[in-house]
Amino acid sequence: QVQLVESGGGLVQAGGSLRLSCEASRRIFPWYTVYWFRQAPGKEREFVTGINWSGDNTDYADSVKGRFTISRDNARNTVYLQMNSLRPEDTAVYYCAARNKADIVRAPVDFVSWGQGTQVTVSS
């Protein structure tokens, strides 16, 4: 089973940027899709974005579209989340997850691996 480790979280002021990384313990197979979810205190985990193996298919939650960008470097077994124009409502623990199916979904079903999460805090 592939293990995922997130990094790059931290404290940033509103309007600032952060880049999160998700490194896999081994090569992720071509039919895997990789995602970022987030969970704020007292709220359910929510879909942020997902990407397929080749990187030519992505999906974003409406709340982050135009501000966040997901990308992947398969040679490094790493997926990135570039977050720009951050808002206080983006504050959450961000989780990386992998699903062994090629289609991108927004519900957290059929996921084979989850990372431990990295905290992102945006101050106003």
Side-chain angles (χ1 to χ4, degrees):
Q1 182 175 345
V2 63
Q3 294 181 334
L4 305 173
V5 178
E6 305 96 335
S7 62
L11 174 63
V12 64
Q13 288 188 332
S17 299
L18 282 174
R19 189 177 81 156
L20 306 183
S21 298
C22 170
E23 184 173 0
S25 58
R26 60 166 175 77
R27 177 176 173 265
I28 297 177
F29 298 115
W31 56 89
Y32 275 49
T33 45
V34 182
Y35 300 76
W36 289 96
F37 284 79
R38 67 186 182 186
Q39 188 166 17
K43 295 188 176 181
E44 293 188 352
R45 192 169 297 189
E46 65 173 358
F47 167 83
V48 176
T49 181
I51 189 168
N52 67 343
W53 182 82
S54 62
D56 61 357
N57 187 20
T58 58
D59 188 25
Y60 294 90
D62 289 344
S63 59
V64 306
K65 198 172 294 183
R67 300 187 298 123
F68 291 10
T69 302
I70 189 172
S71 61
R72 63 191 297 171
D73 183 340
N74 291 325
R76 290 182 167 82
N77 299 326
T78 301
V79 173
Y80 304 98
L81 180 63
Q82 178 66 44
M83 305 186 296
N84 298 329
S85 302
L86 282 162
R87 304 166 180 169
E89 54 264 39
D90 295 318
T91 295
V93 177
Y94 283 70
Y95 297 90
C96 177
R99 181 170 178 267
N100 60 352
K101 296 187 185 298
D103 57 322
I104 297 175
V105 297
R106 295 191 173 194
V109 294
D110 296 329
F111 283 76
V112 297
S113 294
W114 289 86
Q116 293 299 308
T118 184
Q119 176 71 47
V120 171
T121 303
V122 184
S123 63
S124 57

